[in-house]
Amino acid sequence: MLERLGLDRPDLRAWALYDWANSAFQTTIVAAVFPIYYQKVAAEGLPASQAIQWFSWATTVAILIVAIVAPILGAIADFAALKKPMLAGFAGIGIVSTAAMYWIGPGDWTLALWLFIAGNVGVAGSIVFYESLLPYLVPEGDDNALDVVSSAGYAVGYLGGGLLLAINLLMIQRPALFGLPDAGVATRLSFVSVAVWWALFSIPIFVRVPEPRVDPGDGPAAATRRLDVAYLLRVAFARLGTTFRELRRYRQAFLLLLAFLVYNDGIQTIIRMATTYGTEIGLDSGAMITALLITQFIGVPCAFLFGRLAARISAKRAIFIGLAVYVGITLLGYYMRTAAQFFALALLVGVVQGGTQALSRSLFASMIPRSRSSEFFAFFGVFERYAGVLGPLIFGIMITATGSSRNAILSVVGFFIIGAAILARVDVDEGRREASRG
């Protein structure tokens, strides 16, 4: 199956399996089970509006942490050939904090939020270094291969995240089948299952994907300096300064980053706030999780098809299609009152979410120099994470001002419209020429 998706080499399959691994966190923890458990159990005793407000603030804090540290560590990873160790470190943080969610009980909203923050830092930080490996896995200049592999990674991620979510949903709804006393224990074990799944399927990327080579420098002296933390930090800040200055040389890539910052804010807001919003307006939790499960499996072929669509009409035009659909999704979210409407929203998200994000990733990868991919993808990660700041922040502000999250929904439309307007100004061919000049 993976070969048919364009992953015809062991290193490509191993790389994509990390999407399979960490997507379990995205589905069970970020999108489906944990937000409902937090709202109904961990936040027991808190008013519903206050619980969702704290949840949105926790999301914002996690994103800010990654946005601050990722560029520094990205510069170090490029200089000292530490992409995979950095990936392992962040993945470890995420895996341990996710496993610890088992001990969250009724009223433990403070513990829940701190572990949620740590888990988000772990997954977001690891993805920065995971994505920075992508340009090294395809022949330089083969932009179609970038689109196909990036889209295939998202498709594999949808499948993996959806499969574990299906198992967890069955375990929560039928705990006796698994020898469990009740749904509460089953829910907490679902958090542990994410940690185990994440750890297990992370192994191939460390075994099969090589660490990209760096300039060896001046022999043993250079190797010694790469173990000197103070020296590495000085180098990191110097390289970041250089990268900031060089962004002016890569104007088209920078415009793409700005566009991505804006429209991905809308995407991340919909992903992160859907079930907490649905819980607040009284939708059945089982129906919402089932709908999100369908989203995952719809996303598998659709992410792959977006990669094929990009080969026909260009990645940029395919992203425009995705953003237009997202405007409709947002309007549906504002008027949503029933589980059937939530199902319709989830289906539409499944059609465009993976493809839009995968093509944004591959388009950016085609417009940056390969030798500094960690630094540039750290900036991509910063823009991606800051994109997740404004939406939850607006939710928190709107809830404080109005007492309801429904009014915050319409503000998301603006992110897609403004992001599309900036994307329209990106000259992709010129951006690729800028990258080739290095």
Side-chain angles (χ1 to χ4, degrees):
M1 183 195 74
L2 294 181
E3 288 85 351
R4 292 179 181 178
L5 290 176
L7 305 175
D8 54 358
R9 301 198 320 261
D11 58 339
L12 295 180
R13 293 192 288 272
W15 180 83
L17 275 176
Y18 189 73
D19 241 324
W20 171 290
N22 77 78
S23 288
F25 182 91
Q26 307 288 358
T27 54
T28 296
I29 305 300
V30 172
V33 180
F34 180 81
I36 296 171
Y37 183 81
Y38 164 78
Q39 189 90 341
K40 291 188 172 183
V41 179
E44 183 179 84
L46 287 179
S49 61
Q50 186 178 354
I52 195 173
Q53 182 181 5
W54 280 112
F55 190 82
S56 67
W57 295 139
T59 300
T60 301
V61 169
I63 292 163
L64 285 171
I65 291 172
V66 174
I68 291 168
V69 303
I72 300 170
L73 296 181
I76 292 174
D78 275 339
F79 173 75
L82 293 173
K83 290 178 175 65
K84 288 169 62 178
M86 293 288 189
L87 193 161
F90 276 102
I93 292 170
I95 290 166
V96 170
S97 57
T98 303
M101 289 178 175
Y102 176 83
W103 285 279
I104 299 172
D108 291 337
W109 60 271
T110 304
L111 175 62
L113 292 178
W114 279 114
L115 291 176
F116 183 68
I117 288 171
N120 273 274
V121 168
V123 74
S126 71
I127 287 172
V128 167
F129 299 99
Y130 161 68
E131 291 179 331
S132 75
L133 294 168
L134 174 59
Y136 294 90
L137 296 175
V138 300
E140 190 165 8
D142 191 345
D143 302 318
N144 182 57
L146 278 173
D147 291 337
V148 171
V149 174
S150 183
S151 297
Y154 266 92
V156 169
Y158 268 116
L159 186 59
L163 180 59
L164 185 61
L165 181 58
I167 295 170
N168 287 336
L169 179 61
L170 180 62
M171 185 166 64
I172 292 167
Q173 293 183 337
R174 302 284 183 86
L177 289 177
F178 296 82
L180 302 175
D182 54 50
V185 173
T187 300
R188 291 187 291 121
L189 282 175
S190 75
F191 305 150
V192 177
S193 75
V194 171
V196 173
W197 184 279
W198 189 354
L200 178 64
F201 290 106
S202 294
I203 295 172
I205 197 170
F206 298 108
V207 174
R208 294 286 188 177
V209 178
E211 179 73 40
R213 293 182 178 181
V214 298
D215 183 354
D218 51 357
T224 300
R225 288 201 301 272
R226 288 190 175 103
L227 300 177
D228 185 333
V229 174
Y231 176 74
L232 287 175
L233 288 174
R234 289 197 300 272
V235 169
F237 282 107
R239 289 174 69 100
L240 284 175
T242 301
T243 303
F244 269 121
R245 291 190 296 273
E246 286 189 349
L247 279 174
R248 289 177 295 183
R249 292 176 52 199
Y250 304 99
R251 182 175 181 275
Q252 302 307 319
F254 183 66
L255 274 178
L256 177 61
L257 278 179
L258 289 178
F260 183 71
L261 169 68
V262 178
Y263 67 70
N264 194 48
D265 198 307
I267 294 173
Q268 294 298 322
T269 300
I270 288 173
I271 293 170
R272 291 179 173 275
M273 306 309 294
T275 50
T276 48
Y277 171 59
T279 301
E280 184 189 357
I281 65 176
L283 298 184
D284 177 70
S285 59
M288 286 191 293
I289 294 176
T290 302
L292 292 173
L293 179 60
I294 293 173
T295 296
Q296 294 302 117
F297 290 110
I298 289 290
V300 173
C302 289
F304 176 63
L305 289 174
F306 255 79
R308 298 302 183 190
L309 179 64
R312 290 179 175 270
I313 67 171
S314 82
K316 180 178 173 180
R317 290 191 181 96
I319 292 171
F320 277 129
I321 293 173
L323 297 181
V325 174
Y326 265 116
V327 171
I329 289 170
T330 307
L331 295 175
L332 175 61
Y334 176 77
Y335 291 105
M336 184 174 65
R337 294 290 191 285
T338 67
Q341 291 171 330
F342 191 90
F343 268 88
L345 185 151
L347 286 171
L348 288 172
V349 169
V351 169
V352 296
Q353 178 180 302
T356 303
Q357 291 181 309
L359 293 179
S360 299
R361 176 170 69 184
S362 60
L363 189 59
F364 180 72
S366 73
M367 298 167 67
I368 61 172
R370 296 174 70 182
S371 62
R372 307 187 73 169
S373 65
S374 284
E375 290 172 62
F376 278 86
F377 264 105
F379 280 106
F380 184 84
V382 167
F383 279 67
E384 185 175 15
R385 301 312 152 197
Y386 272 119
V389 171
L390 294 178
L393 186 61
I394 287 174
F395 260 80
I397 292 171
M398 292 296 289
I399 292 167
T400 301
T402 67
S404 171
S405 57
R406 188 178 295 277
N407 294 327
I409 292 292
L410 286 181
S411 65
V412 180
V413 172
F415 292 118
F416 298 124
I417 294 174
I418 296 171
I422 300 172
L423 180 62
R425 301 186 61 188
V426 176
D427 185 332
V428 176
D429 291 335
E430 176 60 23
R432 288 169 176 165
R433 285 192 293 270
E434 291 171 351
S436 68
R437 291 192 293 264

